[in-house]
Each structure stands twice: as structure tokens, then as C-alpha cells.
Coordinates of all heavy atoms in Angstrom, one line a residue:
G13 N 0.8 -1.2 0.1 CA 0.0 0.0 0.0 C 0.8 1.3 0.0 O 0.6 2.2 -0.7
F14 N 1.9 1.2 0.8 CA 2.8 2.5 0.9 C 3.5 2.6 -0.5 O 3.6 3.7 -1.0 CB 3.8 2.2 1.9 CG 4.9 3.2 1.9 CD1 4.7 4.6 2.3 CD2 6.3 2.9 1.5 CE1 5.7 5.5 2.3 CE2 7.2 3.8 1.4 CZ 7.0 5.1 1.9
A15 N 4.0 1.5 -1.1 CA 4.8 1.6 -2.3 C 4.0 2.0 -3.5 O 4.4 2.7 -4.4 CB 5.4 0.2 -2.7
L16 N 2.7 1.6 -3.5 CA 1.8 2.0 -4.6 C 1.0 3.2 -4.5 O 0.4 3.8 -5.3 CB 0.8 0.7 -4.9 CG 1.5 -0.6 -5.3 CD1 0.4 -1.6 -5.6 CD2 2.4 -0.5 -6.4
G17 N 1.1 3.8 -3.3 CA 0.2 5.0 -2.8 C 0.9 6.3 -3.3 O 2.0 6.3 -4.0
P18 N 0.3 7.3 -2.8 CA 0.9 8.6 -3.2 C 2.3 8.9 -2.7 O 3.1 9.6 -3.3 CB -0.1 9.6 -2.4 CG -1.3 8.9 -2.2 CD -0.8 7.4 -2.0
A19 N 2.7 8.3 -1.5 CA 4.1 8.5 -1.2 C 5.1 7.6 -1.9 O 6.3 7.8 -1.8 CB 4.2 8.1 0.4
G20 N 4.6 6.6 -2.7 CA 5.4 5.8 -3.5 C 5.3 6.1 -4.9 O 5.6 7.1 -5.5
M21 N 4.9 5.1 -5.8 CA 4.8 5.1 -7.2 C 3.6 5.9 -7.7 O 3.5 6.3 -8.9 CB 4.9 3.8 -7.9 CG 6.2 3.1 -7.7 SD 6.4 1.5 -8.5 CE 5.3 0.5 -7.5
G22 N 2.6 6.1 -6.9 CA 1.5 6.8 -7.2 C 0.5 6.0 -8.1 O -0.3 6.7 -8.7
W23 N 0.6 4.7 -8.1 CA -0.4 3.9 -8.8 C -1.9 4.1 -8.3 O -2.8 4.0 -9.1 CB -0.1 2.4 -8.8 CG 1.1 2.1 -9.6 CD1 2.1 2.9 -10.2 CD2 1.5 0.8 -10.0 NE1 3.0 2.2 -10.8 CE2 2.7 0.9 -10.7 CE3 1.0 -0.4 -9.8 CZ2 3.4 -0.2 -11.3 CZ3 1.6 -1.6 -10.4 CH2 2.8 -1.5 -11.0
I24 N -2.0 4.3 -7.0 CA -3.3 4.4 -6.5 C -3.5 5.9 -6.1 O -2.8 6.3 -5.2 CB -3.5 3.5 -5.3 CG1 -3.3 2.0 -5.6 CG2 -5.0 3.5 -4.7 CD1 -3.3 1.1 -4.5
G25 N -4.4 6.6 -6.7 CA -4.6 7.9 -6.4 C -5.8 8.1 -5.4 O -5.5 8.3 -4.3
D26 N -7.0 8.0 -5.9 CA -8.2 8.0 -5.1 C -8.4 6.7 -4.4 O -8.6 5.6 -5.2 CB -9.4 8.4 -5.9 CG -10.6 8.7 -5.1 OD1 -10.5 8.5 -3.8 OD2 -11.6 9.1 -5.7
S27 N -8.4 6.5 -3.1 CA -8.4 5.2 -2.4 C -9.9 4.9 -2.0 O -9.9 4.1 -1.1 CB -7.5 5.2 -1.2 OG -7.9 6.3 -0.3
E28 N -10.9 5.5 -2.5 CA -12.2 5.3 -2.1 C -12.6 3.8 -2.2 O -13.2 3.2 -1.4 CB -13.2 6.2 -2.9 CG -13.2 7.6 -2.4 CD -14.2 8.4 -3.1 OE1 -15.1 7.8 -3.8 OE2 -14.3 9.6 -2.8
Q29 N -12.2 3.3 -3.4 CA -12.5 1.9 -3.7 C -11.8 0.9 -2.7 O -12.4 0.0 -2.1 CB -12.2 1.4 -5.1 CG -13.0 2.1 -6.2 CD -12.5 3.4 -6.5 OE1 -11.4 3.9 -6.1 NE2 -13.4 4.3 -7.1
V30 N -10.5 1.2 -2.4 CA -9.9 0.4 -1.5 C -10.4 0.5 0.0 O -10.6 -0.5 0.7 CB -8.2 0.8 -1.5 CG1 -7.6 0.1 -0.3 CG2 -7.6 0.5 -2.7
E31 N -10.8 1.7 0.3 CA -11.4 1.9 1.7 C -12.8 1.3 1.7 O -13.1 0.6 2.8 CB -11.7 3.4 1.9 CG -10.3 4.2 2.1 CD -10.6 5.6 2.5 OE1 -11.8 6.1 2.5 OE2 -9.7 6.3 2.7
F32 N -13.5 1.2 0.6 CA -14.8 0.5 0.7 C -14.6 -1.1 0.9 O -15.2 -1.7 1.7 CB -15.5 0.8 -0.7 CG -16.8 -0.1 -0.8 CD1 -17.9 0.2 0.0 CD2 -16.9 -1.2 -1.6 CE1 -19.1 -0.6 -0.1 CE2 -18.0 -2.0 -1.8 CZ -19.1 -1.6 -1.1
F33 N -13.7 -1.7 0.1 CA -13.4 -3.0 0.3 C -12.8 -3.4 1.7 O -13.1 -4.5 2.3 CB -12.4 -3.6 -0.7 CG -13.0 -3.7 -2.1 CD1 -12.4 -3.2 -3.2 CD2 -14.2 -4.5 -2.3 CE1 -12.9 -3.3 -4.5 CE2 -14.7 -4.6 -3.6 CZ -14.1 -4.0 -4.7
A34 N -12.0 -2.4 2.2 CA -11.5 -2.6 3.6 C -12.6 -2.7 4.5 O -12.5 -3.5 5.6 CB -10.5 -1.4 3.8
E35 N -13.5 -1.8 4.4 CA -14.7 -1.7 5.4 C -15.4 -3.0 5.3 O -15.9 -3.6 6.4 CB -15.6 -0.6 5.2 CG -15.1 0.8 5.5 CD -16.0 1.9 5.4 OE1 -17.1 1.6 4.8 OE2 -15.7 3.1 5.7
L36 N -15.7 -3.6 4.1 CA -16.4 -4.9 4.0 C -15.5 -6.0 4.7 O -16.1 -6.9 5.4 CB -16.5 -5.2 2.4 CG -17.5 -4.4 1.8 CD1 -17.6 -4.9 0.3 CD2 -19.0 -4.5 2.3
G37 N -14.2 -6.0 4.5 CA -13.4 -7.0 5.1 C -13.5 -6.9 6.6 O -13.5 -8.0 7.3
V38 N -13.4 -5.7 7.2 CA -13.5 -5.5 8.6 C -14.9 -6.0 9.1 O -15.0 -6.7 10.2 CB -13.3 -4.1 9.1 CG1 -13.6 -3.9 10.5 CG2 -11.9 -3.8 8.7
T39 N -15.9 -5.8 8.3 CA -17.3 -6.2 8.7 C -17.3 -7.8 8.8 O -17.9 -8.2 9.7 CB -18.3 -5.7 7.7 OG1 -18.3 -4.2 7.8 CG2 -19.7 -6.1 8.1
L40 N -16.9 -8.3 7.8 CA -16.9 -9.8 7.7 C -16.1 -10.4 8.8 O -16.4 -11.5 9.4 CB -16.5 -10.3 6.3 CG -17.6 -10.3 5.3 CD1 -17.0 -10.9 4.0 CD2 -18.9 -10.9 5.7
L41 N -14.9 -9.8 9.1 CA -14.0 -10.3 10.1 C -14.8 -10.4 11.4 O -14.8 -11.5 12.1 CB -12.8 -9.5 10.3 CG -11.8 -9.8 11.4 CD1 -11.2 -11.2 11.2 CD2 -10.8 -8.8 11.6
L42 N -15.4 -9.3 11.9 CA -16.1 -9.3 13.1 C -17.3 -10.1 13.1 O -17.6 -10.7 14.2 CB -16.5 -7.8 13.5 CG -15.4 -7.0 14.2 CD1 -15.1 -7.7 15.6 CD2 -14.1 -6.8 13.4
F43 N -18.0 -10.2 12.0 CA -19.0 -11.2 11.9 C -18.7 -12.6 12.1 O -19.4 -13.4 12.9 CB -19.8 -11.0 10.5 CG -20.9 -12.0 10.2 CD1 -22.1 -11.8 10.9 CD2 -20.8 -13.0 9.3 CE1 -23.1 -12.7 10.7 CE2 -21.8 -13.9 9.0 CZ -23.0 -13.7 9.8
V44 N -17.6 -13.1 11.4 CA -17.2 -14.4 11.6 C -16.7 -14.7 13.1 O -16.9 -15.7 13.7 CB -16.0 -14.7 10.7 CG1 -15.3 -16.0 11.0 CG2 -16.5 -14.7 9.2
V45 N -16.1 -13.6 13.7 CA -15.7 -13.8 15.2 C -17.0 -13.9 16.0 O -17.0 -14.9 16.8 CB -14.9 -12.6 15.5 CG1 -14.7 -12.6 17.1 CG2 -13.6 -12.6 14.9
G46 N -18.0 -13.2 15.7 CA -19.3 -13.4 16.4 C -19.8 -14.7 16.2 O -20.4 -15.3 17.2
L47 N -19.8 -15.2 15.0 CA -20.3 -16.7 14.7 C -19.7 -17.7 15.7 O -20.3 -18.7 16.0 CB -20.0 -17.0 13.3 CG -20.9 -16.4 12.2 CD1 -20.5 -16.8 10.9 CD2 -22.4 -16.8 12.5
K48 N -18.5 -17.5 15.9 CA -17.7 -18.6 16.8 C -17.9 -18.4 18.3 O -17.4 -19.2 19.0 CB -16.2 -18.4 16.4 CG -15.9 -18.8 14.9 CD -14.4 -18.7 14.6 CE -14.2 -19.1 13.2 NZ -12.7 -19.1 12.9
L49 N -18.7 -17.4 18.7 CA -18.9 -17.2 20.1 C -20.4 -17.4 20.5 O -21.3 -16.8 19.9 CB -18.4 -15.8 20.5 CG -16.9 -15.5 20.4 CD1 -16.7 -14.1 20.9 CD2 -16.2 -16.4 21.3
D50 N -20.6 -18.1 21.5 CA -22.0 -18.3 22.1 C -22.1 -17.2 23.1 O -21.1 -16.8 23.8 CB -22.1 -19.6 22.8 CG -22.5 -20.7 21.7 OD1 -23.1 -20.3 20.7 OD2 -22.1 -21.8 22.0
P51 N -23.3 -16.6 23.4 CA -23.4 -15.6 24.4 C -22.9 -15.9 25.9 O -22.3 -15.2 26.6 CB -24.9 -15.4 24.4 CG -25.4 -15.7 23.0 CD -24.5 -16.8 22.6
H52 N -23.1 -17.3 26.2 CA -22.7 -17.7 27.5 C -21.2 -17.7 27.6 O -20.6 -17.6 28.7 CB -23.2 -19.1 27.8 CG -22.6 -20.2 27.1 ND1 -23.0 -20.6 25.9 CD2 -21.5 -21.1 27.5 CE1 -22.2 -21.6 25.4 NE2 -21.4 -21.9 26.4
E53 N -20.4 -17.8 26.5 CA -19.0 -17.8 26.5 C -18.5 -16.3 26.8 O -17.6 -16.1 27.4 CB -18.5 -18.3 25.1 CG -18.7 -19.8 25.0 CD -18.1 -20.3 23.7 OE1 -17.7 -19.4 22.8 OE2 -18.1 -21.5 23.5
I54 N -19.3 -15.3 26.1 CA -19.0 -13.9 26.3 C -19.2 -13.7 27.8 O -18.4 -12.9 28.4 CB -19.8 -13.1 25.5 CG1 -19.6 -13.4 24.0 CG2 -19.6 -11.6 25.7 CD1 -20.5 -12.7 23.1
R55 N -20.2 -14.1 28.4 CA -20.5 -13.8 29.8 C -19.4 -14.4 30.7 O -19.1 -13.8 31.8 CB -22.0 -14.4 30.2 CG -23.1 -13.6 29.6 CD -24.4 -14.0 30.4 NE -24.6 -15.4 30.2 CZ -25.4 -15.8 29.2 NH1 -25.9 -15.1 28.3 NH2 -25.7 -17.1 29.1
A56 N -18.9 -15.5 30.3 CA -17.8 -16.2 31.1 C -16.6 -15.3 31.4 O -16.0 -15.4 32.3 CB -17.4 -17.5 30.5
V57 N -16.2 -14.5 30.4 CA -15.1 -13.7 30.5 C -15.4 -12.2 30.7 O -14.6 -11.3 30.7 CB -14.1 -13.8 29.3 CG1 -13.6 -15.2 29.1 CG2 -14.8 -13.3 28.0
G58 N -16.8 -12.0 30.9 CA -17.2 -10.6 31.0 C -16.5 -9.8 32.2 O -16.0 -8.7 32.0
P59 N -16.5 -10.4 33.4 CA -15.9 -9.6 34.6 C -14.5 -9.2 34.3 O -14.1 -8.0 34.5 CB -16.1 -10.5 35.8 CG -17.2 -11.4 35.4 CD -17.1 -11.6 33.9
V60 N -13.6 -10.2 33.9 CA -12.2 -9.8 33.7 C -12.0 -8.9 32.5 O -11.2 -8.0 32.6 CB -11.3 -11.1 33.5 CG1 -11.8 -11.9 32.2 CG2 -9.9 -10.7 33.4

């Protein structure tokens, strides 16, 4: 990202598309993490 961005070769000028895909990736990451947790497991580590 640094090499291809404005500070490097400048291949990527407007990063709106990259930011959009990045937001989708973050969304799916947290969704998959939530899929692997039962509510009672969250309560088990709640106090600490």
C-alpha cells in the first residue's frame, strides 16, 4: 500500500474503492468472530 500509494509510485490515487473493500473486510471479520462465540462464552469472560 505504501509503495503503490501517493508516497510511492502513485499507482493508487483516489483510495475510495480500497477503503470500501477494507470496510467490507472488517465487517466480515467481526461477523465471523461473532459466529464462533456463544453468548454464555462472552458472559464467562465478562468480569475480567
Side-chain angles (χ1 to χ4, degrees):
F14 172 73
L16 301 185
M21 293 184 288
W23 284 18
I24 306 176
D26 186 357
S27 61
E28 287 185 4
Q29 292 81 15
V30 174
E31 289 182 358
F32 173 71
F33 286 128
E35 287 187 355
L36 288 180
V38 171
T39 299
L40 282 185
L41 172 66
L42 271 297
F43 176 68
V44 171
V45 170
L47 280 177
K48 296 180 178 180
L49 292 179
D50 281 329
H52 73 276
E53 293 178 352
I54 299 175
R55 290 194 297 269
V57 298
V60 63

